[in-house]
Amino acid sequence: MKKAVIAIIDFSFKLVNQFILKFIWPAPKVLSVEKSLLAIIRDKKAVCRFGDGELMCLLGGGIRYQEANPLLASRLKQILSSNERRIEIGLPDVFSTKKLSLRTVENQSFWQDHLSNYRFQWYRSIRRNRTYLNTAISRFYIPFRDKDKSKQNSLLLKRIWQDKSILIVEGEKSRLGVGNDLFDNTEKITRILCPSENAFSKYEQILDTIKKFDRNVLVLIALGPTATVLAYDLGLAGYSAIDIGHIDLEYEWMKRGAPSQIKIEGKYVNEVSNGSVVVENLDKDNLYWNQICATII
């Protein structure tokens, strides 16, 4: 009798859960990584991405490399619920079982745990009538099962900056494209180095420095949640600015065929043990140093 009652309760819970997910919290419309990249190439808009880290900061908390900040939380909340014509918003495409099935077992487990705790917080700000880009444009390799598709998407990714002058705004030890061919197809590379941790504390200085550049430059930003806000403000100011996140590390892992996140020599990797410890390995005459136009630390 007790087992029968438990089974009925369990079945009822599943029915209620299915009803909520279908009618109250339906999955937002998020484009695939491929279609998101094609949209970026075509439309040349600013791109702000939201992942689990941005949500934590939006809720007033902090993450490993960004301490809690009330202004950052307020700005992220504003951006996620915004509807500006020049701004594209990226979301993780993990809100349905079908989309989760495209990911590795480890990544599925992570997002299932995350959504069990924070699904409501996501839906408070998501617009149901909006089509979102896929946050995983910069997480195109490790989280996905189909590695061949990931490699195809990496080629699309490079088309975004094909023959363009780019301004990379990054943490001082991120070194996007250094030691690989990720940006070999660009016309020119300029860099602004920013704090590897708590970059939002230098927000106004970073924004003002970027705005000294012509609007024709493509701005690629890798600064955690700070990049999300920068891309938004730059988009409103008429720049093509993309919150590009962990793109360089994903590219490095893809090139190595890594099954999971690993430390990359000479680069800051916040997701592995001791990844924030970076040993200097670049000759001071290296092309990288000549690309740096400003250092904001």
Side-chain angles (χ1 to χ4, degrees), residues 176-193:
L176 272 66
V178 175
N180 60 51
D181 63 354
L182 184 58
F183 300 116
D184 282 5
N185 62 340
T186 59
E187 180 182 301
K188 180 182 178 182
I189 300 174
T190 307
R191 298 175 188 268
I192 298 174
L193 301 191

Side-chain angles (χ1 to χ4, degrees), residues 24-25 46 49-50 86 91-92 128 132 140 145 153-154 183 196 229 233 246 261 264-265 278 281 285 296:
I24 299 177
W25 289 344
R49 298 180 312 105
F50 282 81
R86 285 192 51 81
L91 288 183
R128 295 189 183 184
Y132 292 89
F140 59 89
R145 296 168 60 187
N153 285 334
S154 74
F183 300 116
S196 294
V229 186
D233 287 343
H246 287 70
Q261 293 96 332
I264 303 295
E265 183 182 356
V278 180
N281 66 347
D285 293 327
I296 304 168

Side-chain angles (χ1 to χ4, degrees), residues 24-282:
I24 299 177
W25 289 344
K29 185 176 181 180
V30 182
L31 297 180
S32 66
V33 172
E34 179 184 4
K35 289 183 178 179
S36 296
L37 292 171
L38 288 171
I40 293 170
I41 294 167
R42 180 188 68 235
D43 299 332
K44 301 177 176 60
K45 295 182 180 180
V47 179
C48 307
R49 298 180 312 105
F50 282 81
D52 61 295
E54 284 70 30
L55 182 67
M56 294 299 100
C57 291
L58 180 154
L59 295 175
I63 53 179
R64 186 179 302 177
Y65 54 93
Q66 176 59 61
E67 63 188 8
N69 184 297
L71 179 57
L72 175 59
S74 176
R75 290 303 313 279
L76 289 171
K77 190 177 298 185
Q78 169 208 356
I79 294 166
L80 183 55
S81 60
S82 68
N83 194 26
E84 295 289 341
R85 183 180 60 83
R86 285 192 51 81
I87 313 292
E88 293 283 10
I89 303 295
L91 288 183
D93 196 9
V94 295
F95 295 94
S96 70
T97 302
K98 180 180 179 181
K99 296 301 177 67
L100 267 180
S101 68
L102 301 175
R103 295 172 174 256
T104 63
V105 172
E106 294 80 8
N107 197 255
Q108 287 183 44
S109 178
F110 169 83
W111 281 110
Q112 285 167 347
D113 289 344
H114 177 85
L115 291 176
S116 68
N117 292 314
Y118 299 108
R119 184 183 291 269
F120 174 70
Q121 284 87 343
W122 278 111
Y123 277 98
R124 288 180 64 180
S125 299
I126 290 174
R127 291 177 174 268
R128 295 189 183 184
N129 61 344
R130 178 170 187 160
T131 297
Y132 292 89
L133 298 190
N134 200 314
T135 285
I137 57 169
S138 69
R139 295 276 196 174
F140 59 89
Y141 182 72
I142 290 293
F144 292 97
R145 296 168 60 187
D146 188 346
K147 302 305 185 187
D148 289 334
K149 185 66 175 177
S150 296
K151 292 174 182 177
Q152 293 171 22
N153 285 334
S154 74
L155 298 177
L156 268 183
L157 198 57
K158 290 184 177 183
R159 284 177 52 190
I160 295 173
W161 46 80
Q162 178 75 47
D163 299 325
K164 293 182 179 179
S165 292
I166 65 172
L167 173 62
I168 297 175
V169 184
E170 60 181 347
E172 60 176 323
K173 301 296 184 181
S174 297
R175 295 169 178 165
L176 272 66
V178 175
N180 60 51
D181 63 354
L182 184 58
F183 300 116
D184 282 5
N185 62 340
T186 59
E187 180 182 301
K188 180 182 178 182
I189 300 174
T190 307
R191 298 175 188 268
I192 298 174
L193 301 191
C194 306
S196 294
E197 299 180 355
N198 300 315
F200 195 74
S201 65
K202 301 289 185 179
Y203 185 82
E204 293 300 331
Q205 189 177 351
I206 296 169
L207 181 62
D208 290 344
T209 304
I210 297 171
K211 285 186 173 181
K212 293 176 182 178
F213 285 79
D214 188 275
R215 287 181 176 82
N216 290 327
V217 71
L218 173 62
V219 186
L220 303 179
I221 316 166
L223 281 177
T226 300
T228 305
V229 186
L230 281 170
Y232 182 84
D233 287 343
L234 289 168
L236 292 182
Y239 289 83
S240 290
I242 303 174
D243 167 12
I244 209 69
H246 287 70
I247 182 177
D248 179 77
L249 294 176
E250 287 284 328
Y251 193 72
E252 291 276 12
W253 294 328
M254 182 189 76
K255 287 291 188 180
R256 289 165 168 75
S260 60
Q261 293 96 332
I262 60 173
K263 189 174 174 62
I264 303 295
E265 183 182 356
K267 298 187 179 185
Y268 185 104
V269 186
N270 71 287
E271 296 176 333
V272 300
S273 179
N274 295 319
S276 61
V277 179
V278 180
V279 178
E280 189 63 76
N281 66 347
L282 291 177

